[in-house]
């Protein structure tokens, strides 16, 4: 064979090899409406060609009059507890999120691979107001891995771009059939005190310990909410529900003890009507630095004793799946934020973990 022909053959082979390497290194876009991207922790999912978005609350609840909602809808349009799951053998993955309408205190994400947390990403200040890119590697080279992206607690972010390498695809995943846990409450359950990171909140940590799929139905500033109780009719049938509500009713709403008991009783009846088979754990007010309500002078133990009595009445009426948890006995000053001493009730990062462990010991002794 002539030397020129040999050279051309070698060059052609090199070009093909280089093209193959470039193809493997190049990212390929995946339609974000792909049904193989599972959304966990949100009962309301919206798939468009260019955007995947989700909501913890129904539009009916978000648009309810304040007398029914008893929470700020802008704060409710956040992603606490929402997770995206997908299966892929791509060697590298790049996801792009953008902030959507709703409260935005910054975005902190966690990336899990095969149920083990591998990486975190934080976008604060101006960085949380534009495109937020998460780029991470598949640690199981050449193998399909299960990835889970834990979304931020105090921002509403939508997925607008997914990119894979190696001409990889998103593979079909079986539906998550783990037990269902609903966490209902106010800012303590929403995640105030743990930055903007769902993965540091006590419901997330408790769900991990119990191996549950979970929904965070808490909103910062929320009071006893008839709208959320009614929305429980649309939620999946839960195995477990925790309710930690009442601090805002006590501290700022000015409910008397009788008004608190009356509102809680109707609230609990409505939740039980829609979730008949769930174990419900009613948690009394947790440890607080506040000695009394700023509006009524009522002491926290008055609310705690009233809820204890109310739960006892439900139990005497035959509710065998209802339990009382004395919040002040499983929390203390050690749970509260050390970085903001004027904060009278919210857990710090370590405090949320301690509280999750205490609840775990009660629920799964």
């Amino acid at each position: 064979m002539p030397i020129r022909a040999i050279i051309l053959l070698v060059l052609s082979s090199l070009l093909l090899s280089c093209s193959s390497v470039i193809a493997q290194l190049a990212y390929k876009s995946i339609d974000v409406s792909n049904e193989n991207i599972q959304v966990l922790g949100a009962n309301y999912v919206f798939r468009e060609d260019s955007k995947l978005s989700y909501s913890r609350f129904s539009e009916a609840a978000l648009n309810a009059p304040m007398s029914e909602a008893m929470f700020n809808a802008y704060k409710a349009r956040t992603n606490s507890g929402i997770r995206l799951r997908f299966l892929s053998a791509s060697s590298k993955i790049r996801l792009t999120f953008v902030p959507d309408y709703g409260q935005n205190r910054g975005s902190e994400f966690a990336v899990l691979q095969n149920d083990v947390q591998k990486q975190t990403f934080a976008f604060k200040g101006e960085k949380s107001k534009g495109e937020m890119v998460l780029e991470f590697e598949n640690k199981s080279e050449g193998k399909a891995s299960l990835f889970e992206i834990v979304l931020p607690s105090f921002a509403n972010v939508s997925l607008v771009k997914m990119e894979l390498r190696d001409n990889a695809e998103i593979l079909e995943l079986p539906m998550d059939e783990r037990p269902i846990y609903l966490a209902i409450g106010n800012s303590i359950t929403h995640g105030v005190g743990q930055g903007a990171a769902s993965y540091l909140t006590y419901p997330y940590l408790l769900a991990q310990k119990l191996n549950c799929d979970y929904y965070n139905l808490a909103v910062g500033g929320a009071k006893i909410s008839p709208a959320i109780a009614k929305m429980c009719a649309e939620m999946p049938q839960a195995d477990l529900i925790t309710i930690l509500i009442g601090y805002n009713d006590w501290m700022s709403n000015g409910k008397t003890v009788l008004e608190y008991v009356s509102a809680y009783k109707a609230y609990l009846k409505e939740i039980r009507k829609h979730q008949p088979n769930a174990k419900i754990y009613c948690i009394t007010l947790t440890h607080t630095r506040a000695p009394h309500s700023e509006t009524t002078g009522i002491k926290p133990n008055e609310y705690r004793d009233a809820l204890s009595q109310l739960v006892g009445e439900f139990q005497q009426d035959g509710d065998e799946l209802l339990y009382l948890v004395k919040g002040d006995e499983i929390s203390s000053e050690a749970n509260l934020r050390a970085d903001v001493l004027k904060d009278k009730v919210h857990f710090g990062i370590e405090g949320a973990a301690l509280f999750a462990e205490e609840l775990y010991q009660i629920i799964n002794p």
Side-chain angles (χ1 to χ4, degrees), residues 17-28 164-168:
S17 178
C18 288
S19 297
S20 176
V21 170
I22 290 169
Q24 287 181 332
L25 293 176
Y27 275 113
K28 176 183 73 173
L164 306 180
R165 281 189 175 172
D166 317 307
N167 287 316

Side-chain angles (χ1 to χ4, degrees), residues 261 264-265 268 305-315 322:
V261 169
Y264 202 115
K265 184 174 184 178
L268 188 53
D305 293 343
L307 181 56
S308 177
Q309 184 175 338
L310 178 63
V311 169
E313 290 173 7
F314 272 81
Q315 291 170 335
L322 186 66

